[in-house]
């Protein structure tokens, strides 16, 4: 399985900024052949990313979707609208959506079906709220993952995102913890969704170019999902090149030092 390395920009980067970001990123990752890369702009910037990234090896997508295809849902965006913009990936179940909009596992399950109906891949975020013993975390994740029993494993990515490791002030989870938890997610997928060989499990939560290598060294980690540090395309390019299990993608990222970014 090729490593999958992507970023959600969350509520950052206007269409103009998105365009500039993608123009900076493209040449920095042109030598990354053995990994899949993606960016998830806010809805209003997807078209701008597409304009720059079309024809490149970087995919684009969205951060949320309404489960229905059309209708009276003020302010919402549907899967056919995202498919029409060429989206490959749609993220669902992020803890910030669960917190801000009360999104439930049932809602996430319905979103996944909509994404699949329109031929896109669902990136489903799961993760415990606080550090807890492994058995408690297993139970928590088991409940969140239950919503995926009807999902198409070929169009599914699971992002393990411990909520306590996300955002300003937090630090990435310890690589051995990530390795152990993601191992249990792979086991769950194998017994509940089908062969786990087709379902990448990626890690998200305060990933940057220093924490990435240790996490990617875990055999159960199939990629990274990066938030704030990837708001700088130079840092995202560094992460895209990071060593994984002794393999370095492309040349050493030779970009200048990352500037501070929000
Ligand atoms: P962060 O966000 O890298 O800024 O912690 C990660 C995420 O929410 O996926």
């Amino acid at each position: 399985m090729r490593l999958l390395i992507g970023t959600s920009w969350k509520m950052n980067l206007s269409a103009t900024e998105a365009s500039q970001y993608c123009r900076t990123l493209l040449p920095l990752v042109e030598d990354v052949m053995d990994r899949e890369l993606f960016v998830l702009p806010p809805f209003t910037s997807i078209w701008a990313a597409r304009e720059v990234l079309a024809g490149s090896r970087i995919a684009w997508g969205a951060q949320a979707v309404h489960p229905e295809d059309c209708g009276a849902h003020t302010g919402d965006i549907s899967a056919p609208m995202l498919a029409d913009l060429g989206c490959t990936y749609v993220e669902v179940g992020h803890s910030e959506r669960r917190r801000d909009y009360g999104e439930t596992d049932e809602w996430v399950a319905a979103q996944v079906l909509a994404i699949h109906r329109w031929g896109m891949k669902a990136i489903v975020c799961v993760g415990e709220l606080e550090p807890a013993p492994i058995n408690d975390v297993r139970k928590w994740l088991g409940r969140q993952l239950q919503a995926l029993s009807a999902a198409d494993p070929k169009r599914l990515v699971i992002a393990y995102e411990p909520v306590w490791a996300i955002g300003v002030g937090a630090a990435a989870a310890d690589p051995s913890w990530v390795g152990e938890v993601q191992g249990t997610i792979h086991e769950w997928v194998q017994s509940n969704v089908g062969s786990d060989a087709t379902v990448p499990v990626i890690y998200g939560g305060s990933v940057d170019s220093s924490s990435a290598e240790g996490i990617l060294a875990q055999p159960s980690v199939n990629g990274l999902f990066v938030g704030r540090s990837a708001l700088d395309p130079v840092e995202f390019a560094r992460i895209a090149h990071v060593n994984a299990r002794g393999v370095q993608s492309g040349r050493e990222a030779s970009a200048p030092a990352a500037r501070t970014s929000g």
Side-chain angles (χ1 to χ4, degrees), residues 37-145:
L37 305 180
F38 68 84
V39 298
L40 306 184
F43 289 131
T44 50
S45 299
I46 295 173
W47 68 271
R50 167 198 170 137
E51 230 172 44
V52 180
L53 299 179
S56 79
R57 279 190 303 273
I58 305 176
W60 60 91
Q63 304 170 17
V65 66
H66 193 282
E68 290 179 27
D69 288 351
C70 61
H73 299 287
T74 300
D76 274 314
I77 300 289
S78 72
M81 295 170 184
L82 298 175
D84 184 57
L85 282 173
C87 291
T88 301
Y89 295 100
V90 183
E91 173 185 11
V92 294
H94 192 279
S95 56
E96 288 151 13
R97 301 287 306 179
R98 294 179 192 258
R99 180 196 67 200
D100 295 347
Y101 295 97
E103 293 189 354
T104 60
D105 295 331
E106 292 67 33
W107 183 258
V108 170
Q111 287 174 302
V112 170
L113 294 183
I115 294 163
H116 288 169
R117 268 200 310 281
W118 289 89
M120 298 176 290
K121 295 182 183 174
I123 302 174
V124 180
C125 302
V126 295
E128 72 280 11
L129 299 177
E130 301 289 344
I134 187 74
N135 283 338
D136 294 353
V137 170
R138 249 191 217 122
K139 276 189 214 138
W140 176 269
L141 297 180
R143 273 196 302 274
Q144 291 190 322
L145 291 165

Side-chain angles (χ1 to χ4, degrees), residues 31-35 240-241 248-253:
D31 59 337
V32 178
M33 306 284 186
D34 57 343
R35 295 161 186 206
H241 283 88
Q248 177 143 28
S249 176
R251 62 173 157 66
E252 185 76 35

Side-chain angles (χ1 to χ4, degrees), residues 6-8 10 91 94-96 125 159-163 165-168 170-172 203-208 225-231 262:
T7 173
S8 161
K10 305 192 179 185
E91 173 185 11
H94 192 279
S95 56
E96 288 151 13
C125 302
Y160 171 52
E161 301 215 334
V163 179
I166 295 174
V168 175
Y203 168 80
S206 299
V207 173
D208 59 18
F225 198 12
V226 191
R228 63 196 186 284
S229 75
L231 288 174

Side-chain angles (χ1 to χ4, degrees), residues 36 45 56 58 62 110 127 129 132 136 164 172 177 180 198 201 203 236 258:
E36 292 184 35
S45 299
S56 79
I58 305 176
L129 299 177
D136 294 353
W164 50 269
W177 171 262
E180 184 175 4
T198 56
V201 182
Y203 168 80
F236 184 46

Side-chain angles (χ1 to χ4, degrees), residues 172-254:
D174 187 68
S176 61
W177 171 262
V178 174
E180 184 175 4
V181 175
Q182 296 206 178
T184 72
I185 296 177
H186 278 291
E187 283 163 19
W188 185 91
V189 169
Q190 201 155 31
S191 22
N192 294 277
V193 182
S195 162
D196 74 339
T198 56
V199 179
V201 182
I202 63 178
Y203 168 80
S206 299
V207 173
D208 59 18
S209 55
S210 357
S211 58
E213 183 170 350
I215 295 169
L216 284 178
Q218 300 292 318
S220 61
V221 174
N222 307 119
L224 300 169
F225 198 12
V226 191
R228 63 196 186 284
S229 75
L231 288 174
D232 178 352
V234 172
E235 174 70 350
F236 184 46
R238 280 203 197 91
I239 296 169
H241 283 88
V242 150
N243 270 325
R245 307 194 258 290
V247 180
Q248 177 143 28
S249 176
R251 62 173 157 66
E252 185 76 35
S254 55

